[in-house]
Amino acid sequence: MDPLFEPVVGEWKRNSPRLATVRRILTLVFSAVFLVAGIALALLLPDDLRWIGAIVAAVALAGAVWGWIWSGRNQRSWGYAENADDLLVTSGVMFKRLVAIPYGRMQFVDVEAGPLARAYGIATVTLHTASPETAADVPGLPADQATALRNRLTELGESHGAGV
């Protein structure tokens, strides 16, 4: 890993590989809708316009392959590290990002999990600050790890004088 994105203390805690599975399922469902639409267009349009349906179907298949590959790489790019005074969150494959959020700046901590994420036992922890630029998500944490992180961040925010 690039030293620019290394935590000062400790090491990155990674999210669950189940995040990639959830994103792959969503990508396949989305791509399947476009594939069906492309096939329907190819069957329903006049002969000289069937190429439109073929292009829609080809783009849907290419999107499914790209989404399958992207999901795994994106899942592996996420990580967080807890320092004494701030939380570091890193993400990104091509365009990497590292956000350091001082515990004293956090306003509240949010935990979300959609139906598919709940079925796979993962959740997203979101840290909100006064500035949307410094808010950060930590997606794909196992539910027990998300709960523990939420509780730790709430305690650290209160001890550092934040509005959590």
Side-chain angles (χ1 to χ4, degrees):
M1 176 173 267
D2 189 345
L4 179 63
F5 296 99
E6 288 291 323
V8 177
V9 179
E11 60 185 48
W12 294 117
K13 294 177 186 170
R14 298 295 175 181
N15 52 17
S16 172
R18 289 177 279 183
L19 175 64
T21 303
V22 168
R23 288 182 172 172
R24 285 177 177 147
I25 290 170
L26 293 174
T27 299
L28 291 179
V29 168
F30 189 72
S31 296
V33 169
F34 277 95
L35 180 63
V36 169
I39 291 171
L41 285 173
L43 293 175
L44 298 175
L45 289 175
D47 288 344
D48 58 336
L49 295 178
R50 288 188 176 176
W51 60 271
I52 296 172
I55 288 176
V56 170
V59 169
L61 289 174
V65 170
W66 178 83
W68 187 273
I69 295 168
W70 171 85
S71 297
R73 293 191 69 191
N74 182 269
Q75 177 268 318
R76 290 187 299 274
S77 74
W78 284 94
Y80 71 95
E82 297 173 64
N83 288 338
D85 294 322
D86 53 16
L87 178 76
L88 302 174
V89 179
T90 187
S91 63
V93 176
M94 185 178 287
F95 299 99
K96 293 189 173 291
R97 183 175 186 212
L98 174 68
V99 179
I101 305 166
Y103 297 127
R105 303 275 307 189
M106 287 190 295
Q107 292 188 332
F108 64 97
V109 180
D110 191 15
V111 178
E112 296 177 316
L116 193 56
R118 283 196 318 269
Y120 279 86
I122 59 174
T124 298
V125 176
T126 305
L127 303 105
H128 297 274
T129 64
S131 170
E133 292 296 319
T134 56
D137 292 332
V138 183
L141 294 178
D144 57 338
Q145 190 177 345
T147 302
L149 179 62
R150 179 199 64 202
N151 293 341
R152 255 192 330 275
L153 291 174
T154 302
E155 291 173 11
L156 289 168
E158 289 173 357
S159 68
H160 285 75
V164 177

